[in-house]
DNA sequence: TTGAAAGCGCTAACAT
DNA sequence: ATGTTAGCGCTTTCAA
């Protein structure tokens, strides 16, 4: 049917081996005559030969594909990450398999298994859960993978994350030093490791500013119903704490929703409050150019994690797990 | 090393064939004894056997992977598309390989070749260019693929697109009937088929509203420098046509940039102008809730194209290419 | 009720 | 300078 090594070999009355050597560029090295090299390459081009990578992989015992598992592809944060990972991966001559865990632990486990079954050379994962059977399994099998964005403190694995606590601290400190007295923190998923770090950064900043921690200033939004929940909780907050003068958002979409809230209410939010947010989006940039923001080095995170993964794949047995903590770039007025 | 069919067979003193039958669920059907079936499945679970899909694919002659090629992963439009495609693909038990063409024809060609080399069962492509050698090749080989969003009029292939011309027409008509007299169109990539349709929708609407087409009202932005270019062209437009009272954006990021322009200039854009845009984003929704918008059925497009592709894969030789033109949902005040 | 063996398309050690 | 051959891990026909 399709053009195979064998069909080319037959057509040219050569052996499969000869054709294989030549087409994989080792013709010279193996000492084939210039004539046959030319003959084979020309013929292969002419008939439009493309190697069957599945067969090659089986024979070689490895593939040139790597897998990426993220909670959501459409979230700007992860789509930027996927963009960067895809670019790096393909620059290494690999191909990217993408899976979405939907923030669901079970789906994540299944994906890991499925992709390993596909024989991906390695995996990059933005994990959704605290600790994971499939992840321990990879560790046990010495299978190359790197955790990105979120990580699991108990496990000694490759990871690339950002310094959430310090960034949060700096942002909130900045709010206070620009005049705020009562900064609310708007967050979700407080149980997640990253979120925890962001909140403790906030807390330290409040205390270091000589002010008390107030429960009413800590607003947790339910991620699954956040659009509605933001409205309710904002109503309550502004009611209970009318003199709130600053907001620290632990993640972008909460900030966006609060902006929407203000716009819907005709509030002159740009003059009335000061804002800080972890991560930024185009919408925030337009809606509130003066918002202090931690610009996550997403592209860098993607690139670095691929670098680490590729290195791990190449070394495999004697590879020291790499732990990388990148800094956010802080975007703050007057700094 | 790894757990394979053979290692299990050896451990259990059975043959590879037996284990294969049983583990692929055809144990009953083939009439194996309940005892061996249990023995094999239990043992496989115990040692954590996962089939090598590469080997299976080679043996079966096909894979359960499909490829998606889009111009940019981080653009919200395409990331939503990828999200939807991934979900459908995985619901069919397939796995998704993702490639980004970066809007570059050559990269797109390479990707098609590369993914076909990986033996993907089919391809979904948002093509960047008018006509494509690699695409004709697929047609020639009768290789299953479907074009999405954009398509190539000359080629008879599967495609899923939206009715750009009619949506644009309705949106612009709506602007005029709500009082506008001079609606500018802000666009990029006028040479692209889709953009052409959107612009001709605009033109028809202008004429049908009994107004003249004005060159100065048609603003083309350079996609590569659009952030700067929007500023320049907007300055010029407002200067040359001070009584412009409406804007039709042929794509989301242009609308966003113009919103930014207004915000930076402190313009009360929500009362001064009326807007319409093809596609919407979170930012636009927040910035200009009253903007008339064509809500692209992205999720539907993704899902439908996977459906078509899977069908094409199953039939292959006797498959009628499917052409699907979906409607945008129009979001317009008072309608 | 189970096994032997061929074959998927390619690589690579070992001939010649 | 080129060919033979034995796998890679799985499926599946044909036997037993």
């Amino acid at each position: 049917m399709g053009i195979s090594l064998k069909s080319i070999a037959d057509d040219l009355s050569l052996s499969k081996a000869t054709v294989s050597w030549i087409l994989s560029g080792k013709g010279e090295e193996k000492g084939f005559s210039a004539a046959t090299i030319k003959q084979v390459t020309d013929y292969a081009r002419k008939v439009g030969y493309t190697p069957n990578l599945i067969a090659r992989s089986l024979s070689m015992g490895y593939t040139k594909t790597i897998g990426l598992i993220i909670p959501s592809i459409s979230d700007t944060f992860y789509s930027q990450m996927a963009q960067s990972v895809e670019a790096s991966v393909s620059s290494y001559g690999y191909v990217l398999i993408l899976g979405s865990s939907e923030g669901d632990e079970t789906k994540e486990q299944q994906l890991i298994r499925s992709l390993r079954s596909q024989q991906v050379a390695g995996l990059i994962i933005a994990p959704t859960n605290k600790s994971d059977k499939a992840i321990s399994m990879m560790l046990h099998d010495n299978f190359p993978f790197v955790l990105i964005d979120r990580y699991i403190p108990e496990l000694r694995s490759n990871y690339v994350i950002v310094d959430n606590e310090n960034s949060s601290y700096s942002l909130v400190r900045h709010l206070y030093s620009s005049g705020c007295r009562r900064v609310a923190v708007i967050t979700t998923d407080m149980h997640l490791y990253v979120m925890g770090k962001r909140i403790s950064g906030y807390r330290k900043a409040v205390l270091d500013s000589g002010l008390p921690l107030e429960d009413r200033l800590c607003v947790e939004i339910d991620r699954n119903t956040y659009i509605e929940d933001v409205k309710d909780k904002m109503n309550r907050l502004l009611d209970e704490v009318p003199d709130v003068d600053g907001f620290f958002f632990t993640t972008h979409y909460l900030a966006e929703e609060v902006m929407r809230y203000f716009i819907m209410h005709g509030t002159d939010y740009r003059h009335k409050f000061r804002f800080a947010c972890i991560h930024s989006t185009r919408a925030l940039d337009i809606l509130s150019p003066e918002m202090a923001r931690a610009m996550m080095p997403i592209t860098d995170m993607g690139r670095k994690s691929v670098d680490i993964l590729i290195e791990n794949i190449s070394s495999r047995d004697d590879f020291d797990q790499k732990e990388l903590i990148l800094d956010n770039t802080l975007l703050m007025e007057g700094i």
Side-chain angles (χ1 to χ4, degrees), chain A:
Chain A
M1 266 256 46
I3 319 294
S4 66
L5 267 192
K6 177 158 167 38
S7 76
I8 294 187
D10 289 351
D11 292 357
L12 262 34
S13 308
L14 290 168
S15 79
K16 274 166 43 178
T18 303
V19 179
S20 173
W21 290 121
I22 292 178
L23 289 184
S24 48
K26 290 164 202 139
E28 309 257 280
E29 174 188 322
K30 285 288 291 183
F32 287 98
S33 73
T36 28
I37 293 189
K38 185 163 163 34
Q39 185 195 21
V40 170
T41 46
D42 285 357
Y43 188 74
R45 186 187 328 282
K46 183 184 144 217
V47 297
Y49 170 74
T50 47
N52 181 324
L53 261 28
I54 292 290
R56 173 179 293 169
S57 294
L58 183 60
S59 174
M60 308 251 270
Y62 62 81
T63 66
K64 292 275 256 175
T65 70
I66 85 120
L68 172 66
I69 300 177
I70 51 184
S72 160
I73 303 171
S74 59
D75 181 289
T76 55
F77 181 76
Y78 292 110
S79 70
Q80 284 176 256
M81 186 179 284
Q83 170 100 315
S84 157
V85 167
E86 196 277 340
S88 296
V89 156
S90 98
S91 81
Y92 275 110
Y94 280 66
V95 131
L96 210 231
I97 298 192
L98 181 68
S100 170
S101 67
E102 309 295 334
D104 176 41
E105 198 166 334
T106 314
K107 265 202 118 183
E108 180 179 304
Q109 306 248 27
Q110 289 171 341
L111 271 170
I112 294 178
R113 269 191 267 278
S114 157
L115 297 195
R116 288 192 66 181
S117 216
Q118 301 275 346
Q119 311 299 117
V120 296
L123 235 25
I124 295 178
I125 308 173
T128 58
N129 46 299
K130 304 234 161 256
S131 161
D132 192 336
K133 215 180 131 204
I135 291 190
S136 331
M137 199 60 179
M138 293 195 287
L139 236 28
H140 170 267
D141 297 346
N142 194 25
F143 180 83
F145 72 101
V146 7
L147 265 23
I148 186 169
D149 179 41
R150 312 168 172 187
Y151 92 121
I152 300 168
E154 302 86 47
L155 298 183
R156 190 144 186 301
S157 71
N158 295 309
Y159 62 80
V160 176
I161 56 172
V162 293
D163 185 344
N164 282 288
E165 185 161 358
N166 279 329
S167 309
S168 302
Y169 179 82
S170 305
L171 288 175
V172 178
R173 281 293 268 173
H174 174 257
L175 291 183
Y176 281 111
S177 65
S178 12
C180 290
R181 307 307 298 158
R182 301 188 91 178
V183 175
V185 54
I186 315 287
T187 186
T188 12
D189 294 325
M190 288 182 70
H191 59 283
L192 286 185
Y193 183 79
V194 259
M195 291 304 177
K197 286 293 183 191
R198 292 172 191 178
I199 292 166
S200 59
Y202 162 83
R203 294 214 173 106
K204 280 189 188 157
V206 174
L207 296 174
D208 284 4
S209 304
L211 290 159
L213 286 172
E214 295 179 72
D215 278 354
R216 291 177 310 176
L217 288 178
C218 181
V219 178
E220 180 169 19
I221 306 291
D222 178 357
R223 184 159 51 85
N224 300 307
T225 60
Y226 72 95
I227 297 197
E228 274 310 310
D229 209 26
V230 161
K231 288 185 202 157
D232 299 343
K233 299 273 170 64
M234 279 298 289
N235 282 335
R236 191 201 302 171
L237 175 67
L238 295 175
D239 186 49
E240 289 182 359
V241 193
D243 62 339
V244 56
D245 54 9
F247 289 87
F248 169 58
F249 305 102
T250 61
T251 190
H252 55 118
Y253 60 90
L254 297 178
E256 290 175 339
E257 249 2 90
V258 170
M259 295 300 111
R260 189 204 301 277
Y261 176 90
F262 287 137
I263 289 188
M264 297 307 276
H265 288 256
T267 310
D268 181 18
Y269 62 92
R270 287 176 68 189
H271 297 107
K272 202 160 174 209
F273 305 107
R274 294 186 168 275
F275 303 106
C277 185
I278 295 283
H279 185 44
S280 185
T281 65
R282 193 185 181 97
L284 290 180
D285 193 41
I286 297 176
L287 285 159
S288 174
E290 48 285 292
M291 179 179 290
R293 278 161 288 169
M295 309 295 283
M296 305 267 264
I298 308 186
T299 306
D300 229 42
M301 290 172 74
R303 196 150 23 83
K304 293 272 172 54
S305 50
V306 175
D307 290 345
I308 293 176
L309 185 60
I310 297 283
E311 217 190 309
N312 193 161
I313 290 170
S314 317
S315 315
R316 191 91 199 217
D317 287 318
D318 48 282
F319 183 79
D320 284 344
Q321 302 286 324
K322 286 221 172 21
E323 325 196 329
L324 204 55
I325 303 182
L326 301 177
D327 283 323
N328 284 314
T329 301
L330 300 182
L331 219 72
M332 313 190 286
E333 265 177 15
I335 292 221

